Amino acid sequence: MKKLLCIAVAAGLGLSMSAHADRLVTELIKPIEPAVISAPEKVELGKKLWFDPRLSMSGFISCNSCHNLAMGGSDNLPTSIGHNWQEGPINSPTVLNSSLFVAQFWDGRAANLQEQAGGPIANPMEMASSHLLAIDVINSIPQYREEFAKVYGSEDITIDNITDAIAVFEETLVTPNSRFDQWLKGDDKAITEQELASTLR
Amino acid sequence: MKKLLCIAVAAGLGLSMSAHADRLVTELIKPIEPAVISAPEKVELGKKLWFDPRLSMSGFISCNSCHNLAMGGSDNLPTSIGHNWQEGPINSPTVLNSSLFVAQFWDGRAANLQEQAGGPIANPMEMASSHLLAIDVINSIPQYREEFAKVYGSEDITIDNITDAIAVFEETLVTPNSRFDQWLKGDDKAITEQELASTLR
């Protein structure tokens, strides 16, 4: 894409490729980098919460139900199935690389993953719980109390801590080193000629 | 338990503990051993199928939905939620250590895990697919075709191969080295006096 935009910018400005355009483009589109994990215990706690259907009213739906890590981070359905088999109006976006989105939800109403994570828990069409109930449920599980105390310095579990842990886990869900990333980094042979042609179209 | 039964047998026969009673009891109750994985690619294939909701009619329910590995191998619900949010009459047993059960399902109607695995896929109250549809869906995914060819020597995917792979993955879901196992193996201090008293009751 760097190369692609270089060409586009250069063409648009009527210039040959320049160091300036190169730098400009580098700032626009970057290869995806591996996750840097600075708080492994928080990531593990977030991972537990991610897969835990007890965050839903039914005890049947987890974050992973609609953003399935076994299927590219989404549910592969036109619109998602929620509490009581309600088929809402929303197509689940993938969670993979979502930490790199400029905003969250299709309309961008959440600024970041932590803010987003609180949404589905309390949405009556989705997990159909409430923040109060979710906190009570998680608080009722001694192992969670221990882990929250270790990670956040307090056994007093809050929705902010729950969504923070989930968001920090989600930040690890990146897909570095795809062939496209390799191409961005300078390996001209990493994508096929057909793919290059599609990219340039 | 070995010890416990030794005591019981010895008491019942009016004998002091003997090598014979010891051997008899050893054959009745054994510590759980770690899984021995002889076909890692088959296990990986079974793991993918285990977490894949495309085995259900809706594309929303996987084996893991009701036997959740994040919650002790079960769904932690009185009775499970199935297709179209039907709440069936069945309480999901845990999948953990289920390879050691003498038979499968609550009424023991399946002889082994492979036979069991075909049940929920086609049960209209559960995953609500059919074996024919499940085969078609899995067949439609090129990566599965490749993996089945590698593991079973044929790209022609059958329900027997699907359930075999799932069963072989399930055989890895054991919980060796619990404190009870340690006690069985001779560590008298592995369980508390209260636990010992409960065991002997």
Side-chain angles (χ1 to χ4, degrees), chain A residues 51-54 58 60-61 65 68 70-71 75-77 81-85, chain B residues 51-54 58 60-61 65 68 70-71 76-77 81-85:
Chain A
F51 284 103
D52 198 332
R54 290 173 290 200
S58 61
F60 189 66
I61 299 177
S65 296
N68 196 322
M71 297 203 305
D75 56 10
N76 206 23
L77 298 174
I81 292 171
H83 185 72
N84 212 17
W85 213 263
Chain B
F51 284 103
D52 198 332
R54 289 172 292 199
S58 61
F60 189 65
I61 298 178
S65 296
N68 195 322
M71 296 203 305
N76 205 24
L77 298 174
I81 292 171
H83 186 72
N84 211 18
W85 211 262

PDB file of all heavy atoms in Angstrom, chain A residues 51-54 58 60-61 65 68 70-71 75-77 81-85, chain B residues 51-54 58 60-61 65 68 70-71 76-77 81-85:
ATOM      1  N   PHE A  51     -13.978 -15.239  26.980  1.00  0.00           N
ATOM      2  CA  PHE A  51     -14.622 -16.529  26.691  1.00  0.00           C
ATOM      3  C   PHE A  51     -15.722 -16.862  27.694  1.00  0.00           C
ATOM      4  O   PHE A  51     -16.286 -17.960  27.625  1.00  0.00           O
ATOM      5  CB  PHE A  51     -13.576 -17.650  26.695  1.00  0.00           C
ATOM      6  CG  PHE A  51     -12.705 -17.680  25.463  1.00  0.00           C
ATOM      7  CD1 PHE A  51     -11.408 -17.199  25.487  1.00  0.00           C
ATOM      8  CD2 PHE A  51     -13.197 -18.185  24.262  1.00  0.00           C
ATOM      9  CE1 PHE A  51     -10.608 -17.228  24.352  1.00  0.00           C
ATOM     10  CE2 PHE A  51     -12.406 -18.219  23.123  1.00  0.00           C
ATOM     11  CZ  PHE A  51     -11.112 -17.739  23.166  1.00  0.00           C
ATOM     12  N   ASP A  52     -16.028 -15.965  28.618  1.00  0.00           N
ATOM     13  CA  ASP A  52     -16.929 -16.313  29.717  1.00  0.00           C
ATOM     14  C   ASP A  52     -18.377 -15.890  29.437  1.00  0.00           C
ATOM     15  O   ASP A  52     -18.707 -14.712  29.488  1.00  0.00           O
ATOM     16  CB  ASP A  52     -16.441 -15.659  31.019  1.00  0.00           C
ATOM     17  CG  ASP A  52     -17.060 -16.342  32.227  1.00  0.00           C
ATOM     18  OD1 ASP A  52     -18.185 -16.881  32.101  1.00  0.00           O
ATOM     19  OD2 ASP A  52     -16.418 -16.353  33.289  1.00  0.00           O
ATOM     20  N   PRO A  53     -19.264 -16.866  29.172  1.00  0.00           N
ATOM     21  CA  PRO A  53     -20.659 -16.515  28.885  1.00  0.00           C
ATOM     22  C   PRO A  53     -21.417 -16.024  30.115  1.00  0.00           C
ATOM     23  O   PRO A  53     -22.540 -15.554  29.981  1.00  0.00           O
ATOM     24  CB  PRO A  53     -21.252 -17.833  28.358  1.00  0.00           C
ATOM     25  CG  PRO A  53     -20.328 -18.898  28.790  1.00  0.00           C
ATOM     26  CD  PRO A  53     -18.987 -18.292  29.036  1.00  0.00           C
ATOM     27  N   ARG A  54     -20.784 -16.116  31.297  1.00  0.00           N
ATOM     28  CA  ARG A  54     -21.470 -15.593  32.493  1.00  0.00           C
ATOM     29  C   ARG A  54     -21.584 -14.077  32.465  1.00  0.00           C
ATOM     30  O   ARG A  54     -22.282 -13.491  33.289  1.00  0.00           O
ATOM     31  CB  ARG A  54     -20.737 -16.076  33.751  1.00  0.00           C
ATOM     32  CG  ARG A  54     -20.930 -17.577  33.957  1.00  0.00           C
ATOM     33  CD  ARG A  54     -20.097 -18.105  35.088  1.00  0.00           C
ATOM     34  NE  ARG A  54     -18.678 -18.108  34.748  1.00  0.00           N
ATOM     35  CZ  ARG A  54     -17.756 -18.853  35.358  1.00  0.00           C
ATOM     36  NH1 ARG A  54     -18.101 -19.642  36.349  1.00  0.00           N
ATOM     37  NH2 ARG A  54     -16.488 -18.800  34.987  1.00  0.00           N
ATOM     38  N   SER A  58     -28.069 -14.861  29.994  1.00  0.00           N
ATOM     39  CA  SER A  58     -28.400 -16.290  29.879  1.00  0.00           C
ATOM     40  C   SER A  58     -27.302 -17.209  30.384  1.00  0.00           C
ATOM     41  O   SER A  58     -27.555 -18.378  30.671  1.00  0.00           O
ATOM     42  CB  SER A  58     -28.651 -16.634  28.406  1.00  0.00           C
ATOM     43  OG  SER A  58     -27.485 -16.385  27.653  1.00  0.00           O
ATOM     44  N   PHE A  60     -25.043 -18.007  28.327  1.00  0.00           N
ATOM     45  CA  PHE A  60     -24.797 -18.795  27.112  1.00  0.00           C
ATOM     46  C   PHE A  60     -23.960 -18.025  26.084  1.00  0.00           C
ATOM     47  O   PHE A  60     -23.362 -18.625  25.210  1.00  0.00           O
ATOM     48  CB  PHE A  60     -26.136 -19.209  26.497  1.00  0.00           C
ATOM     49  CG  PHE A  60     -26.030 -20.200  25.362  1.00  0.00           C
ATOM     50  CD1 PHE A  60     -25.575 -21.493  25.578  1.00  0.00           C
ATOM     51  CD2 PHE A  60     -26.398 -19.848  24.067  1.00  0.00           C
ATOM     52  CE1 PHE A  60     -25.479 -22.415  24.536  1.00  0.00           C
ATOM     53  CE2 PHE A  60     -26.310 -20.761  23.020  1.00  0.00           C
ATOM     54  CZ  PHE A  60     -25.849 -22.048  23.263  1.00  0.00           C
ATOM     55  N   ILE A  61     -23.959 -16.692  26.168  1.00  0.00           N
ATOM     56  CA  ILE A  61     -23.309 -15.880  25.132  1.00  0.00           C
ATOM     57  C   ILE A  61     -22.083 -15.161  25.704  1.00  0.00           C
ATOM     58  O   ILE A  61     -22.185 -14.472  26.723  1.00  0.00           O
ATOM     59  CB  ILE A  61     -24.310 -14.854  24.557  1.00  0.00           C
ATOM     60  CG1 ILE A  61     -25.498 -15.583  23.904  1.00  0.00           C
ATOM     61  CG2 ILE A  61     -23.630 -13.922  23.568  1.00  0.00           C
ATOM     62  CD1 ILE A  61     -26.577 -14.650  23.367  1.00  0.00           C
ATOM     63  N   SER A  65     -18.813 -15.431  21.208  1.00  0.00           N
ATOM     64  CA  SER A  65     -19.932 -15.960  20.434  1.00  0.00           C
ATOM     65  C   SER A  65     -20.069 -15.220  19.101  1.00  0.00           C
ATOM     66  O   SER A  65     -20.343 -15.833  18.073  1.00  0.00           O
ATOM     67  CB  SER A  65     -21.239 -15.830  21.223  1.00  0.00           C
ATOM     68  OG  SER A  65     -21.201 -16.616  22.388  1.00  0.00           O
ATOM     69  N   ASN A  68     -15.842 -14.733  17.023  1.00  0.00           N
ATOM     70  CA  ASN A  68     -15.285 -16.068  17.259  1.00  0.00           C
ATOM     71  C   ASN A  68     -13.835 -16.179  16.783  1.00  0.00           C
ATOM     72  O   ASN A  68     -13.556 -16.079  15.578  1.00  0.00           O
ATOM     73  CB  ASN A  68     -16.167 -17.094  16.546  1.00  0.00           C
ATOM     74  CG  ASN A  68     -15.916 -18.500  17.024  1.00  0.00           C
ATOM     75  OD1 ASN A  68     -14.781 -18.879  17.299  1.00  0.00           O
ATOM     76  ND2 ASN A  68     -16.983 -19.277  17.131  1.00  0.00           N
ATOM     77  N   ALA A  70     -12.121 -18.657  16.494  1.00  0.00           N
ATOM     78  CA  ALA A  70     -11.927 -19.829  15.629  1.00  0.00           C
ATOM     79  C   ALA A  70     -12.369 -19.554  14.196  1.00  0.00           C
ATOM     80  O   ALA A  70     -12.191 -20.400  13.325  1.00  0.00           O
ATOM     81  CB  ALA A  70     -12.696 -21.030  16.187  1.00  0.00           C
ATOM     82  N   MET A  71     -12.975 -18.388  13.974  1.00  0.00           N
ATOM     83  CA  MET A  71     -13.472 -18.089  12.614  1.00  0.00           C
ATOM     84  C   MET A  71     -13.107 -16.674  12.189  1.00  0.00           C
ATOM     85  O   MET A  71     -13.958 -15.905  11.723  1.00  0.00           O
ATOM     86  CB  MET A  71     -14.991 -18.271  12.562  1.00  0.00           C
ATOM     87  CG  MET A  71     -15.418 -19.712  12.833  1.00  0.00           C
ATOM     88  SD  MET A  71     -17.041 -20.077  12.150  1.00  0.00           S
ATOM     89  CE  MET A  71     -18.009 -18.790  12.927  1.00  0.00           C
ATOM     90  N   ASP A  75     -18.509 -13.924  13.502  1.00  0.00           N
ATOM     91  CA  ASP A  75     -19.404 -15.088  13.557  1.00  0.00           C
ATOM     92  C   ASP A  75     -19.788 -15.596  12.170  1.00  0.00           C
ATOM     93  O   ASP A  75     -20.524 -16.580  12.056  1.00  0.00           O
ATOM     94  CB  ASP A  75     -20.661 -14.792  14.390  1.00  0.00           C
ATOM     95  CG  ASP A  75     -21.409 -13.574  13.889  1.00  0.00           C
ATOM     96  OD1 ASP A  75     -21.063 -13.070  12.794  1.00  0.00           O
ATOM     97  OD2 ASP A  75     -22.330 -13.111  14.580  1.00  0.00           O
ATOM     98  N   ASN A  76     -19.325 -14.893  11.147  1.00  0.00           N
ATOM     99  CA  ASN A  76     -19.529 -15.397   9.791  1.00  0.00           C
ATOM    100  C   ASN A  76     -21.017 -15.425   9.401  1.00  0.00           C
ATOM    101  O   ASN A  76     -21.428 -16.199   8.547  1.00  0.00           O
ATOM    102  CB  ASN A  76     -18.927 -16.818   9.707  1.00  0.00           C
ATOM    103  CG  ASN A  76     -18.509 -17.201   8.307  1.00  0.00           C
ATOM    104  OD1 ASN A  76     -18.254 -16.341   7.475  1.00  0.00           O
ATOM    105  ND2 ASN A  76     -18.450 -18.498   8.036  1.00  0.00           N
ATOM    106  N   LEU A  77     -21.807 -14.602  10.087  1.00  0.00           N
ATOM    107  CA  LEU A  77     -23.247 -14.544   9.822  1.00  0.00           C
ATOM    108  C   LEU A  77     -23.606 -13.160   9.275  1.00  0.00           C
ATOM    109  O   LEU A  77     -22.929 -12.178   9.578  1.00  0.00           O
ATOM    110  CB  LEU A  77     -24.037 -14.793  11.114  1.00  0.00           C
ATOM    111  CG  LEU A  77     -23.856 -16.160  11.783  1.00  0.00           C
ATOM    112  CD1 LEU A  77     -24.574 -16.190  13.122  1.00  0.00           C
ATOM    113  CD2 LEU A  77     -24.362 -17.273  10.865  1.00  0.00           C
ATOM    114  N   ILE A  81     -26.645 -13.356  16.187  1.00  0.00           N
ATOM    115  CA  ILE A  81     -27.693 -13.923  17.031  1.00  0.00           C
ATOM    116  C   ILE A  81     -27.414 -13.516  18.467  1.00  0.00           C
ATOM    117  O   ILE A  81     -26.299 -13.681  18.962  1.00  0.00           O
ATOM    118  CB  ILE A  81     -27.708 -15.462  16.882  1.00  0.00           C
ATOM    119  CG1 ILE A  81     -28.176 -15.831  15.469  1.00  0.00           C
ATOM    120  CG2 ILE A  81     -28.581 -16.112  17.946  1.00  0.00           C
ATOM    121  CD1 ILE A  81     -28.044 -17.299  15.115  1.00  0.00           C
ATOM    122  N   GLY A  82     -28.432 -12.964  19.124  1.00  0.00           N
ATOM    123  CA  GLY A  82     -28.244 -12.507  20.505  1.00  0.00           C
ATOM    124  C   GLY A  82     -29.179 -13.217  21.464  1.00  0.00           C
ATOM    125  O   GLY A  82     -29.721 -14.291  21.149  1.00  0.00           O
ATOM    126  N   HIS A  83     -29.359 -12.610  22.634  1.00  0.00           N
ATOM    127  CA  HIS A  83     -30.177 -13.187  23.707  1.00  0.00           C
ATOM    128  C   HIS A  83     -31.536 -13.636  23.181  1.00  0.00           C
ATOM    129  O   HIS A  83     -32.200 -12.926  22.438  1.00  0.00           O
ATOM    130  CB  HIS A  83     -30.375 -12.133  24.803  1.00  0.00           C
ATOM    131  CG  HIS A  83     -31.102 -12.668  26.004  1.00  0.00           C
ATOM    132  ND1 HIS A  83     -30.517 -13.534  26.891  1.00  0.00           N
ATOM    133  CD2 HIS A  83     -32.369 -12.467  26.456  1.00  0.00           C
ATOM    134  CE1 HIS A  83     -31.390 -13.848  27.851  1.00  0.00           C
ATOM    135  NE2 HIS A  83     -32.521 -13.210  27.602  1.00  0.00           N
ATOM    136  N   ASN A  84     -31.912 -14.860  23.581  1.00  0.00           N
ATOM    137  CA  ASN A  84     -33.217 -15.400  23.189  1.00  0.00           C
ATOM    138  C   ASN A  84     -33.352 -15.575  21.670  1.00  0.00           C
ATOM    139  O   ASN A  84     -34.448 -15.505  21.126  1.00  0.00           O
ATOM    140  CB  ASN A  84     -34.336 -14.482  23.731  1.00  0.00           C
ATOM    141  CG  ASN A  84     -35.580 -15.274  24.072  1.00  0.00           C
ATOM    142  OD1 ASN A  84     -35.533 -16.490  24.211  1.00  0.00           O
ATOM    143  ND2 ASN A  84     -36.703 -14.580  24.184  1.00  0.00           N
ATOM    144  N   TRP A  85     -32.179 -15.747  21.016  1.00  0.00           N
ATOM    145  CA  TRP A  85     -32.104 -15.960  19.555  1.00  0.00           C
ATOM    146  C   TRP A  85     -32.603 -14.750  18.768  1.00  0.00           C
ATOM    147  O   TRP A  85     -33.081 -14.874  17.637  1.00  0.00           O
ATOM    148  CB  TRP A  85     -32.873 -17.219  19.146  1.00  0.00           C
ATOM    149  CG  TRP A  85     -32.279 -17.951  17.964  1.00  0.00           C
ATOM    150  CD1 TRP A  85     -32.683 -17.830  16.656  1.00  0.00           C
ATOM    151  CD2 TRP A  85     -31.190 -18.878  17.950  1.00  0.00           C
ATOM    152  NE1 TRP A  85     -31.904 -18.633  15.855  1.00  0.00           N
ATOM    153  CE2 TRP A  85     -30.988 -19.300  16.616  1.00  0.00           C
ATOM    154  CE3 TRP A  85     -30.350 -19.413  18.937  1.00  0.00           C
ATOM    155  CZ2 TRP A  85     -29.996 -20.217  16.242  1.00  0.00           C
ATOM    156  CZ3 TRP A  85     -29.373 -20.324  18.573  1.00  0.00           C
ATOM    157  CH2 TRP A  85     -29.202 -20.716  17.249  1.00  0.00           C
TER     158      TRP A  85
ATOM    159  N   PHE B  51     -14.540 -26.296  17.987  1.00  0.00           N
ATOM    160  CA  PHE B  51     -14.881 -24.876  18.190  1.00  0.00           C
ATOM    161  C   PHE B  51     -15.651 -24.302  16.996  1.00  0.00           C
ATOM    162  O   PHE B  51     -15.921 -23.109  16.968  1.00  0.00           O
ATOM    163  CB  PHE B  51     -13.608 -24.055  18.414  1.00  0.00           C
ATOM    164  CG  PHE B  51     -13.002 -24.217  19.783  1.00  0.00           C
ATOM    165  CD1 PHE B  51     -11.882 -24.998  19.987  1.00  0.00           C
ATOM    166  CD2 PHE B  51     -13.575 -23.571  20.874  1.00  0.00           C
ATOM    167  CE1 PHE B  51     -11.331 -25.144  21.255  1.00  0.00           C
ATOM    168  CE2 PHE B  51     -13.029 -23.708  22.141  1.00  0.00           C
ATOM    169  CZ  PHE B  51     -11.907 -24.501  22.332  1.00  0.00           C
ATOM    170  N   ASP B  52     -15.999 -25.134  16.018  1.00  0.00           N
ATOM    171  CA  ASP B  52     -16.561 -24.585  14.778  1.00  0.00           C
ATOM    172  C   ASP B  52     -18.085 -24.628  14.761  1.00  0.00           C
ATOM    173  O   ASP B  52     -18.695 -25.696  14.620  1.00  0.00           O
ATOM    174  CB  ASP B  52     -16.006 -25.355  13.580  1.00  0.00           C
ATOM    175  CG  ASP B  52     -16.186 -24.566  12.295  1.00  0.00           C
ATOM    176  OD1 ASP B  52     -17.145 -23.755  12.239  1.00  0.00           O
ATOM    177  OD2 ASP B  52     -15.384 -24.742  11.372  1.00  0.00           O
ATOM    178  N   PRO B  53     -18.733 -23.467  14.903  1.00  0.00           N
ATOM    179  CA  PRO B  53     -20.204 -23.443  14.907  1.00  0.00           C
ATOM    180  C   PRO B  53     -20.812 -23.751  13.544  1.00  0.00           C
ATOM    181  O   PRO B  53     -22.026 -23.919  13.445  1.00  0.00           O
ATOM    182  CB  PRO B  53     -20.529 -22.012  15.367  1.00  0.00           C
ATOM    183  CG  PRO B  53     -19.316 -21.218  15.133  1.00  0.00           C
ATOM    184  CD  PRO B  53     -18.141 -22.149  15.105  1.00  0.00           C
ATOM    185  N   ARG B  54     -19.971 -23.866  12.514  1.00  0.00           N
ATOM    186  CA  ARG B  54     -20.525 -24.218  11.203  1.00  0.00           C
ATOM    187  C   ARG B  54     -21.013 -25.659  11.157  1.00  0.00           C
ATOM    188  O   ARG B  54     -21.686 -26.047  10.204  1.00  0.00           O
ATOM    189  CB  ARG B  54     -19.476 -23.957  10.104  1.00  0.00           C
ATOM    190  CG  ARG B  54     -19.265 -22.455   9.879  1.00  0.00           C
ATOM    191  CD  ARG B  54     -18.106 -22.157   8.944  1.00  0.00           C
ATOM    192  NE  ARG B  54     -16.825 -22.506   9.533  1.00  0.00           N
ATOM    193  CZ  ARG B  54     -15.656 -22.030   9.120  1.00  0.00           C
ATOM    194  NH1 ARG B  54     -15.616 -21.178   8.113  1.00  0.00           N
ATOM    195  NH2 ARG B  54     -14.527 -22.379   9.705  1.00  0.00           N
ATOM    196  N   SER B  58     -27.458 -23.215  12.379  1.00  0.00           N
ATOM    197  CA  SER B  58     -27.435 -21.752  12.468  1.00  0.00           C
ATOM    198  C   SER B  58     -26.070 -21.155  12.192  1.00  0.00           C
ATOM    199  O   SER B  58     -25.961 -19.972  11.871  1.00  0.00           O
ATOM    200  CB  SER B  58     -27.852 -21.316  13.878  1.00  0.00           C
ATOM    201  OG  SER B  58     -26.937 -21.836  14.829  1.00  0.00           O
ATOM    202  N   PHE B  60     -24.099 -20.887  14.656  1.00  0.00           N
ATOM    203  CA  PHE B  60     -23.904 -20.154  15.917  1.00  0.00           C
ATOM    204  C   PHE B  60     -23.496 -21.076  17.068  1.00  0.00           C
ATOM    205  O   PHE B  60     -22.937 -20.622  18.056  1.00  0.00           O
ATOM    206  CB  PHE B  60     -25.200 -19.419  16.285  1.00  0.00           C
ATOM    207  CG  PHE B  60     -25.062 -18.463  17.444  1.00  0.00           C
ATOM    208  CD1 PHE B  60     -24.252 -17.336  17.352  1.00  0.00           C
ATOM    209  CD2 PHE B  60     -25.753 -18.678  18.635  1.00  0.00           C
ATOM    210  CE1 PHE B  60     -24.131 -16.448  18.416  1.00  0.00           C
ATOM    211  CE2 PHE B  60     -25.639 -17.787  19.706  1.00  0.00           C
ATOM    212  CZ  PHE B  60     -24.825 -16.676  19.596  1.00  0.00           C
ATOM    213  N   ILE B  61     -23.794 -22.377  16.957  1.00  0.00           N
ATOM    214  CA  ILE B  61     -23.579 -23.300  18.078  1.00  0.00           C
ATOM    215  C   ILE B  61     -22.492 -24.322  17.729  1.00  0.00           C
ATOM    216  O   ILE B  61     -22.568 -24.986  16.693  1.00  0.00           O
ATOM    217  CB  ILE B  61     -24.899 -24.032  18.424  1.00  0.00           C
ATOM    218  CG1 ILE B  61     -25.954 -23.014  18.875  1.00  0.00           C
ATOM    219  CG2 ILE B  61     -24.670 -25.092  19.508  1.00  0.00           C
ATOM    220  CD1 ILE B  61     -27.316 -23.637  19.182  1.00  0.00           C
ATOM    221  N   SER B  65     -20.138 -24.770  22.762  1.00  0.00           N
ATOM    222  CA  SER B  65     -21.221 -23.960  23.334  1.00  0.00           C
ATOM    223  C   SER B  65     -21.779 -24.604  24.597  1.00  0.00           C
ATOM    224  O   SER B  65     -22.096 -23.918  25.565  1.00  0.00           O
ATOM    225  CB  SER B  65     -22.349 -23.778  22.312  1.00  0.00           C
ATOM    226  OG  SER B  65     -21.897 -23.053  21.195  1.00  0.00           O
ATOM    227  N   ASN B  68     -18.290 -26.075  27.424  1.00  0.00           N
ATOM    228  CA  ASN B  68     -17.384 -24.935  27.319  1.00  0.00           C
ATOM    229  C   ASN B  68     -16.069 -25.177  28.068  1.00  0.00           C
ATOM    230  O   ASN B  68     -16.062 -25.312  29.300  1.00  0.00           O
ATOM    231  CB  ASN B  68     -18.112 -23.706  27.880  1.00  0.00           C
ATOM    232  CG  ASN B  68     -17.427 -22.408  27.498  1.00  0.00           C
ATOM    233  OD1 ASN B  68     -16.198 -22.335  27.469  1.00  0.00           O
ATOM    234  ND2 ASN B  68     -18.220 -21.390  27.189  1.00  0.00           N
ATOM    235  N   ALA B  70     -13.866 -23.188  28.715  1.00  0.00           N
ATOM    236  CA  ALA B  70     -13.552 -22.079  29.623  1.00  0.00           C
ATOM    237  C   ALA B  70     -14.313 -22.211  30.941  1.00  0.00           C
ATOM    238  O   ALA B  70     -14.083 -21.430  31.859  1.00  0.00           O
ATOM    239  CB  ALA B  70     -13.889 -20.741  28.958  1.00  0.00           C
ATOM    240  N   MET B  71     -15.217 -23.179  31.028  1.00  0.00           N
ATOM    241  CA  MET B  71     -16.015 -23.320  32.254  1.00  0.00           C
ATOM    242  C   MET B  71     -16.092 -24.779  32.710  1.00  0.00           C
ATOM    243  O   MET B  71     -17.179 -25.291  32.996  1.00  0.00           O
ATOM    244  CB  MET B  71     -17.420 -22.773  32.035  1.00  0.00           C
ATOM    245  CG  MET B  71     -17.425 -21.281  31.740  1.00  0.00           C
ATOM    246  SD  MET B  71     -19.003 -20.513  32.120  1.00  0.00           S
ATOM    247  CE  MET B  71     -20.114 -21.515  31.148  1.00  0.00           C
ATOM    248  N   ASN B  76     -22.627 -24.937  32.544  1.00  0.00           N
ATOM    249  CA  ASN B  76     -22.953 -24.355  33.846  1.00  0.00           C
ATOM    250  C   ASN B  76     -24.428 -23.948  33.933  1.00  0.00           C
ATOM    251  O   ASN B  76     -24.794 -23.064  34.701  1.00  0.00           O
ATOM    252  CB  ASN B  76     -22.041 -23.134  34.073  1.00  0.00           C
ATOM    253  CG  ASN B  76     -21.832 -22.814  35.537  1.00  0.00           C
ATOM    254  OD1 ASN B  76     -21.966 -23.690  36.397  1.00  0.00           O
ATOM    255  ND2 ASN B  76     -21.528 -21.564  35.834  1.00  0.00           N
ATOM    256  N   LEU B  77     -25.271 -24.561  33.114  1.00  0.00           N
ATOM    257  CA  LEU B  77     -26.700 -24.247  33.098  1.00  0.00           C
ATOM    258  C   LEU B  77     -27.496 -25.488  33.530  1.00  0.00           C
ATOM    259  O   LEU B  77     -27.048 -26.612  33.318  1.00  0.00           O
ATOM    260  CB  LEU B  77     -27.150 -23.840  31.690  1.00  0.00           C
ATOM    261  CG  LEU B  77     -26.514 -22.583  31.097  1.00  0.00           C
ATOM    262  CD1 LEU B  77     -26.950 -22.396  29.641  1.00  0.00           C
ATOM    263  CD2 LEU B  77     -26.865 -21.354  31.919  1.00  0.00           C
ATOM    264  N   ILE B  81     -29.033 -24.705  26.172  1.00  0.00           N
ATOM    265  CA  ILE B  81     -29.735 -23.912  25.166  1.00  0.00           C
ATOM    266  C   ILE B  81     -29.310 -24.415  23.790  1.00  0.00           C
ATOM    267  O   ILE B  81     -28.121 -24.548  23.514  1.00  0.00           O
ATOM    268  CB  ILE B  81     -29.402 -22.416  25.351  1.00  0.00           C
ATOM    269  CG1 ILE B  81     -30.007 -21.917  26.671  1.00  0.00           C
ATOM    270  CG2 ILE B  81     -29.878 -21.593  24.156  1.00  0.00           C
ATOM    271  CD1 ILE B  81     -29.574 -20.526  27.077  1.00  0.00           C
ATOM    272  N   GLY B  82     -30.285 -24.716  22.943  1.00  0.00           N
ATOM    273  CA  GLY B  82     -29.974 -25.228  21.608  1.00  0.00           C
ATOM    274  C   GLY B  82     -30.496 -24.324  20.505  1.00  0.00           C
ATOM    275  O   GLY B  82     -30.803 -23.145  20.731  1.00  0.00           O
ATOM    276  N   HIS B  83     -30.603 -24.894  19.310  1.00  0.00           N
ATOM    277  CA  HIS B  83     -31.046 -24.159  18.123  1.00  0.00           C
ATOM    278  C   HIS B  83     -32.325 -23.371  18.390  1.00  0.00           C
ATOM    279  O   HIS B  83     -33.274 -23.894  18.976  1.00  0.00           O
ATOM    280  CB  HIS B  83     -31.294 -25.153  16.986  1.00  0.00           C
ATOM    281  CG  HIS B  83     -31.625 -24.497  15.692  1.00  0.00           C
ATOM    282  ND1 HIS B  83     -30.687 -23.825  14.945  1.00  0.00           N
ATOM    283  CD2 HIS B  83     -32.798 -24.386  15.009  1.00  0.00           C
ATOM    284  CE1 HIS B  83     -31.259 -23.338  13.853  1.00  0.00           C
ATOM    285  NE2 HIS B  83     -32.532 -23.663  13.864  1.00  0.00           N
ATOM    286  N   ASN B  84     -32.309 -22.132  17.944  1.00  0.00           N
ATOM    287  CA  ASN B  84     -33.486 -21.270  18.100  1.00  0.00           C
ATOM    288  C   ASN B  84     -33.856 -21.064  19.578  1.00  0.00           C
ATOM    289  O   ASN B  84     -35.018 -20.842  19.902  1.00  0.00           O
ATOM    290  CB  ASN B  84     -34.675 -21.875  17.326  1.00  0.00           C
ATOM    291  CG  ASN B  84     -35.598 -20.807  16.806  1.00  0.00           C
ATOM    292  OD1 ASN B  84     -35.215 -19.636  16.713  1.00  0.00           O
ATOM    293  ND2 ASN B  84     -36.815 -21.180  16.479  1.00  0.00           N
ATOM    294  N   TRP B  85     -32.815 -21.141  20.436  1.00  0.00           N
ATOM    295  CA  TRP B  85     -32.958 -20.913  21.887  1.00  0.00           C
ATOM    296  C   TRP B  85     -33.895 -21.933  22.549  1.00  0.00           C
ATOM    297  O   TRP B  85     -34.538 -21.658  23.561  1.00  0.00           O
ATOM    298  CB  TRP B  85     -33.443 -19.483  22.174  1.00  0.00           C
ATOM    299  CG  TRP B  85     -32.937 -18.909  23.473  1.00  0.00           C
ATOM    300  CD1 TRP B  85     -33.609 -18.865  24.673  1.00  0.00           C
ATOM    301  CD2 TRP B  85     -31.656 -18.282  23.730  1.00  0.00           C
ATOM    302  NE1 TRP B  85     -32.820 -18.265  25.643  1.00  0.00           N
ATOM    303  CE2 TRP B  85     -31.624 -17.890  25.084  1.00  0.00           C
ATOM    304  CE3 TRP B  85     -30.535 -18.033  22.949  1.00  0.00           C
ATOM    305  CZ2 TRP B  85     -30.526 -17.251  25.671  1.00  0.00           C
ATOM    306  CZ3 TRP B  85     -29.442 -17.389  23.526  1.00  0.00           C
ATOM    307  CH2 TRP B  85     -29.453 -17.007  24.864  1.00  0.00           C
TER     308      TRP B  85
END
